[in-house]
Amino acid sequence: MKTKRGLVAFAGLVILFGCAWCGFYSANEWEDGMEKITVSAKGSSAQTEDLQENVEIVAQQGCYGKHENARQEGQTQIEPKVNVYRNASRGIALSQEDYNVLLRIVEAEATGGTRKSKKMVANVVLNRVVDSHFPNTVSEVVYQRCSDGTPQFSPISDGRFFSVTVTDSTKKAVDQVLKGKDETDGALFFVNRNSASSRALAWFDSKLDYLFECGGHSFYCYKD
């Protein structure tokens, strides 16, 4: 009899611990449950078999349902929205990170410039994304380095990219570019001829085709 009563108490504890772990019992309900276990341990042996049959079922079903819901809710909460901005004319999708990187490189390259000059810089970055010579995301394009390890964009090497404050003018310029079409005739490069080295200018002049000038930058594309 003592053994059967012990089983009753043990079974009750398993149910109680299982339900408490799954979040079904509050603190008050826990205390009530402990009192019921004490009473049930003194009850008839017929209750023992019923409790033994139901312990595993209750614990498994209750906990599974609780954690399955939590898993699904967790997936919903952390599911990333990778592509939040699009440029339909080029078929480009940008993540939030890409968008922020685009804002910063435009601000750094065309600080204090007109909206048009900022749009030209943004267009070059997006043109590179869809060109086979360059990486296929905005972030990779902006952080790309030359074969000698030099960053493609000077604000990356001198740190301006990381210190600028993005202005409303830049945001509007970038948003207009994302909603529109390329306005640079396919430009993939730009350079400030007043500050670039003679070596860099020689490369631009020999390897690329000149397109136009805007905001102090000369824009180029690959030779046909």
Side-chain angles (χ1 to χ4, degrees):
M1 180 64 69
K2 290 183 179 179
T3 302
K4 290 183 179 180
R5 289 179 179 176
L7 287 174
V8 171
F10 173 75
L13 282 171
V14 171
I15 295 175
L16 188 59
F17 275 115
C19 292
W21 180 66
C22 294
F24 295 142
Y25 279 167
S26 65
N28 292 334
E29 290 172 333
W30 171 267
E31 294 177 358
D32 292 341
M34 290 298 293
E35 293 176 0
K36 291 178 182 177
I37 289 173
T38 303
V39 173
S40 65
K42 300 178 181 178
S44 65
S45 60
Q47 293 176 337
T48 302
E49 295 181 358
D50 293 337
L51 280 171
Q52 286 177 315
E53 290 176 358
N54 291 313
V55 164
E56 186 174 355
I57 295 174
V58 171
Q60 287 183 350
Q61 289 182 346
C63 294
Y64 176 80
K66 182 75 171 180
H67 290 282
E68 180 65 11
N69 291 337
R71 182 184 65 82
Q72 292 176 350
E73 291 173 1
Q75 286 181 342
T76 301
Q77 292 172 359
I78 65 174
E79 182 179 355
K81 295 182 179 180
V82 177
N83 301 324
V84 294
Y85 299 92
R86 293 186 179 276
N87 177 228
S89 64
R90 297 181 179 84
I92 298 175
L94 285 74
S95 66
Q96 183 64 56
E97 179 185 1
D98 288 327
Y99 179 70
N100 292 339
V101 168
L102 184 57
L103 290 176
R104 297 190 75 83
I105 196 61
V106 170
E107 185 68 52
E109 288 283 10
T111 304
T114 64
R115 187 177 300 180
K116 181 178 180 180
S117 68
K118 294 179 178 182
K119 290 172 65 177
M120 297 301 104
V121 171
N123 270 298
V124 167
V125 175
L126 296 183
N127 287 346
R128 287 192 176 195
V129 172
V130 296
D131 188 277
S132 61
H133 294 91
F134 301 93
N136 57 9
T137 70
V138 168
S139 296
E140 291 174 323
V141 163
V142 172
Y143 293 128
Q144 186 183 22
R145 293 176 177 269
C146 303
S147 57
D148 63 357
T150 304
Q152 290 273 341
F153 293 89
S154 60
I156 298 296
S157 59
D158 64 25
R160 285 180 292 135
F161 172 86
F162 305 99
S163 62
V164 294
T165 299
V166 177
T167 61
D168 289 339
S169 172
T170 295
K171 291 179 181 178
K172 290 178 181 178
V174 168
D175 289 344
Q176 286 180 359
V177 170
L178 290 175
K179 294 176 182 178
K181 297 181 179 180
D182 176 37
E183 301 177 33
T184 67
D185 196 23
L188 294 168
F189 303 86
F190 58 86
V191 63
N192 185 330
R193 298 188 69 90
N194 294 324
S195 59
S197 66
S198 57
R199 179 182 177 183
L201 293 178
W203 184 87
F204 271 82
D205 293 337
S206 63
K207 302 293 184 181
L208 306 174
D209 280 340
Y210 171 82
L211 294 173
F212 61 91
E213 186 173 345
C214 180
H217 288 124
S218 297
F219 290 78
Y220 298 80
C221 65
Y222 281 118
K223 290 183 178 292
D224 294 333

